[in-house]
Amino acid sequence: MAGQQNQNAGQQDNTNQLLQIRRDKLKDLQQRGKDPYQITKYDVTHHSVEIKEHFDELEGQNVSVAGRMMFKRVMGKASFCNIRDRQGDIQIYVARDNIGEESYADFKKYDMGDILGIKGTVFKTKTGEISVHADEVTLLSKSLQILPEKFHGLTDTDIRYRQRYVDLIMNPEVRETFRKRSQIIKEIRNFLDARDFMEVETPMLVSNAGGAAARPFETHYNALDEDVKLRISLELYLKRLIVGGLERVYEIGRVFRNEGVDTRHNPEFTLMELYQAYTDYEGMMELTESMFRYLAEKVCGSSKFTYNGTEIDFGKPFERITMTDCIKKYTGIDFDTVPDLESARALAKEHHVEYEERHTRGEIINLFFEEFCEKNLVQPTFVMDHPVEISPLTKKKLSDPTKVERFELFINTWEMCNAYSELNDPIDQRERFAAQDAAFEAGNEEANHTDEDFLNALEVGMPPTGGIGYGIDRLVMLLTDSQAIRDVILCPTMKTIEQ
């Protein structure tokens, strides 16, 4: 143990010496009037991949590039280095006779991580590597920290998430994931814009955090001396806009749920909800299937792609199955023939499904689905017609009022979205809210609460409407083959480390 402590102390001393050397180099530059932090701009004409892809046009042409130095090899009067910009890496050839003795002496002292500006001509080396022959090298920013060792990279996930800026520098595949995330959101907007949807924004701080089954974060609004909550959903405000006549609206925004953190959950995440007047949950199924297929083709280049070694096929029609039929498929139990709560409880006990006394028959059905069905739903599957007790904002099915016109889409065993034929009957909605209030009093902290202004909006009149919510982060995980939600959120929630 003592030997290990001495080794760690020695490594720390060595690191401190290297960090001090970098600061000393900066001080020397500043004393010589070459403070890089005084530079306010640098004109970049080209980027790395652009130069490589258009070499035939750019060979012999002057370019100006900038990026972080990731590699350097000094060979007397000439040197090579690699700089990394937003597109990738490109090699730079730096010769003393081209940039001058003083500049070359400075260049030899630059460190990995320093940000350089290079002006020069495009050429190809004897080994065939497309490079820039530097005529001028400018230090744009001095890196005072030491980047992770090149060959081992940055692999510690905790450090990667806490210091995403270093993760992005060291791991090109991480940058590619977030490039694709941006592309996914852009293509979602393109798809919805083509269907005449209007993008809107609704409040994040609300007095009544409704629209989903989740515990909200609570805070206090000093100016109004009022307790408020961070929104858990976008639903109730977007429906108000449907009442107002906007007909097709969507919002992509952050929502906040006071829940645990795991590979598929982050308390702060990106949700998209859309609402379309004069359609129902069947219309939402068509829209979803079309949009997911469109996204896969745009982002992955095909309607088929692989997640964690399993091929997912968006090219085929998505399967449709009711929740009770799905339970019957995987357990043999037909809940359509289970008449009451006591019978549902008896089945739960028989199959070792844990429930609480407050749980209704519909909630027990949902527990069976979660326990026995979700793990089997790998290919895209619309699970339809949920129990009314777990769907307080959804229209009942005319053919069976114990169920509602709702679906959840499952892919890779994950719930990807949740959609309804929206309840627009204000009298029925008030009764559903009352049941939710009672559930909250009985101990369900995730229950909704009566929202009088929303009820007033429904009394003004909301047309028949289809609505849906998508977890954007899970969608990005799926289309980028990422194993954890933190891998697709630039700054995931992390417990604060005391300094």
Side-chain angles (χ1 to χ4, degrees):
M1 179 65 73
Q4 181 66 47
Q5 290 175 341
N6 290 335
Q7 182 180 357
N8 291 341
Q11 290 174 346
Q12 185 61 51
D13 288 342
N14 184 53
T15 299
N16 290 339
Q17 290 174 8
L18 293 174
L19 291 172
Q20 186 58 51
I21 289 170
R22 292 191 176 219
R23 292 178 183 272
D24 291 342
K25 289 179 180 179
L26 173 64
K27 186 176 181 180
D28 175 66
L29 288 167
Q30 291 171 330
Q31 289 174 344
R32 292 193 288 124
K34 295 184 176 183
D35 186 350
Y37 302 136
Q38 295 298 312
I39 298 173
T40 58
K41 62 177 290 188
Y42 191 82
D43 292 328
V44 176
T45 63
H46 295 79
H47 289 85
S48 56
V49 174
E50 178 187 4
I51 291 171
K52 294 175 182 177
E53 290 180 347
H54 298 90
F55 173 74
D56 290 343
E57 304 164 34
L58 292 173
E59 184 178 14
Q61 300 297 312
N62 292 322
V63 296
S64 175
V65 297
R68 191 178 300 275
M69 185 165 66
M70 302 301 293
F71 166 80
K72 182 175 72 170
R73 184 170 77 249
V74 177
M75 303 180 301
K77 298 179 182 180
S79 302
F80 285 97
C81 71
N82 278 13
I83 65 167
R84 179 168 294 169
D85 61 21
R86 73 183 186 195
Q87 293 182 348
D89 293 10
I90 190 162
Q91 179 172 271
I92 310 296
Y93 175 68
V94 184
R96 185 189 66 182
D97 293 345
N98 283 81
I99 69 171
E101 286 194 20
E102 183 178 349
S103 292
Y104 190 67
D106 287 340
F107 170 78
K108 290 196 292 184
K109 295 179 181 178
Y110 295 159
D111 294 301
M112 298 306 99
D114 288 351
I115 298 176
L116 307 180
I118 310 291
K119 291 182 179 178
T121 55
V122 177
F123 79 111
K124 188 178 289 187
T125 66
K126 293 179 180 179
T127 60
E129 183 165 357
I130 295 170
S131 308
V132 175
H133 192 305
D135 296 320
E136 179 184 297
V137 178
T138 305
L139 179 63
L140 302 175
S141 184
K142 181 67 185 169
S143 176
L144 300 180
Q145 288 287 347
I146 301 170
L147 292 178
E149 198 273 328
K150 174 185 174 183
F151 294 103
H152 294 98
L154 179 61
T155 57
D156 184 297
T157 54
D158 189 73
I159 296 176
R160 286 182 53 225
Y161 298 145
R162 291 184 187 279
Q163 298 183 17
R164 182 68 86 185
Y165 41 90
V166 181
D167 188 26
L168 291 165
I169 292 168
M170 299 305 300
N171 296 318
E173 68 278 7
V174 173
R175 292 203 308 278
E176 178 62 13
T177 293
F178 287 103
R179 186 198 67 77
K180 282 189 174 181
R181 180 187 174 105
S182 179
Q183 183 188 4
I184 289 165
I185 293 173
K186 174 185 175 182
E187 294 297 351
I188 288 172
R189 287 190 167 105
N190 288 341
F191 178 87
L192 294 176
D193 289 350
R195 292 198 174 205
D196 203 26
F197 277 82
M198 175 180 175
E199 185 172 10
V200 297
E201 294 176 310
T202 60
M204 289 190 180
L205 291 173
V206 296
S207 58
N208 187 343
R215 292 176 60 185
F217 288 92
E218 299 181 3
T219 186
H220 185 77
Y221 197 161
N222 291 336
L224 298 179
D225 191 23
E226 181 179 349
D227 290 334
V228 292
K229 301 175 179 67
L230 289 170
R231 66 186 182 186
I232 60 173
S233 171
L234 314 174
E235 180 166 348
L236 300 186
Y237 280 93
L238 290 176
K239 285 183 179 178
R240 287 168 166 91
L241 302 183
I242 295 292
V243 171
L246 296 187
E247 292 193 7
R248 297 188 183 204
V249 294
Y250 76 97
E251 180 174 6
I252 301 173
R254 290 284 189 167
V255 296
F256 310 86
R257 299 183 181 180
N258 200 348
E259 56 189 19
V261 177
D262 60 30
T263 57
R264 284 185 283 163
H265 294 87
N266 194 71
E268 177 183 358
F269 65 98
T270 301
L271 181 66
M272 182 180 80
E273 293 195 29
L274 65 85
Y275 293 85
Q276 179 179 340
Y278 311 113
T279 191
D280 60 2
Y281 76 145
E282 294 277 356
M284 293 297 99
M285 279 188 247
E286 182 279 323
L287 183 149
T288 299
E289 186 169 339
S290 297
M291 184 173 74
F292 275 44
R293 188 171 295 125
Y294 169 87
L295 291 174
E297 290 171 350
K298 287 289 185 179
V299 176
C300 304
S302 170
S303 59
K304 292 181 181 179
F305 58 94
T306 300
Y307 183 85
N308 198 26
T310 299
E311 184 178 84
I312 306 293
D313 189 356
F314 281 3
K316 298 178 181 178
F318 292 6
E319 183 182 353
R320 300 186 182 193
I321 189 170
T322 67
M323 180 175 280
T324 51
D325 282 346
C326 196
I327 295 171
K328 184 178 180 181
K329 178 178 179 179
Y330 292 109
T331 69
I333 300 168
D334 185 358
F335 270 98
D336 287 335
T337 64
V338 176
D340 51 35
L341 175 58
E342 290 307 314
S343 302
R345 285 176 172 172
L347 283 168
K349 290 176 182 176
E350 180 184 344
H351 290 82
H352 309 291
V353 174
E354 295 185 6
Y355 66 91
E356 298 177 25
E357 286 301 309
R358 62 180 174 83
H359 282 148
T360 62
R361 172 182 173 275
E363 288 170 324
I364 290 175
I365 291 173
N366 191 52
L367 290 173
F368 266 82
F369 173 76
E370 292 174 346
E371 178 70 23
F372 298 109
C373 300
E374 288 186 3
K375 61 188 176 185
N376 295 297
L377 304 178
V378 176
Q379 295 303 319
T381 304
F382 290 119
V383 178
M384 308 156 51
D385 301 351
H386 296 50
V388 67
E389 296 96 328
I390 63 169
S391 311
L393 298 163
T394 316
K395 273 192 174 182
K396 294 175 183 175
K397 288 184 69 67
L398 292 177
S399 59
D400 184 354
T402 68
K403 300 175 183 176
V404 293
E405 293 191 355
R406 173 184 174 186
F407 72 81
E408 293 170 296
L409 173 62
F410 282 84
I411 305 171
N412 189 50
T413 76
W414 307 343
E415 178 201 334
M416 300 298 296
C417 61
N418 186 20
Y420 314 150
S421 296
E422 302 296 336
L423 179 59
N424 63 343
D425 179 343
I427 298 171
D428 189 356
Q429 183 64 80
R430 182 174 292 279
E431 292 172 355
R432 307 270 196 102
F433 274 148
Q436 288 288 297
D437 287 332
F440 181 81
E441 293 299 324
N444 183 359
E445 295 180 338
E446 296 183 347
N448 282 232
H449 298 276
T450 299
D451 186 327
E452 289 294 345
D453 183 72
F454 177 66
L455 288 171
N456 185 69
L458 291 187
E459 289 180 356
V460 170
M462 186 174 83
T465 298
I468 191 165
Y470 303 89
I472 296 296
D473 307 295
R474 287 187 191 176
L475 178 57
V476 175
M477 285 176 65
L478 191 70
L479 294 180
T480 61
D481 199 10
S482 299
Q483 304 307 303
I485 194 170
R486 289 179 174 184
D487 293 332
V488 300
I489 296 177
L490 278 169
C491 303
T493 302
M494 305 288 289
K495 185 174 177 62
T496 302
I497 296 178
E498 294 183 9
Q499 301 297 322

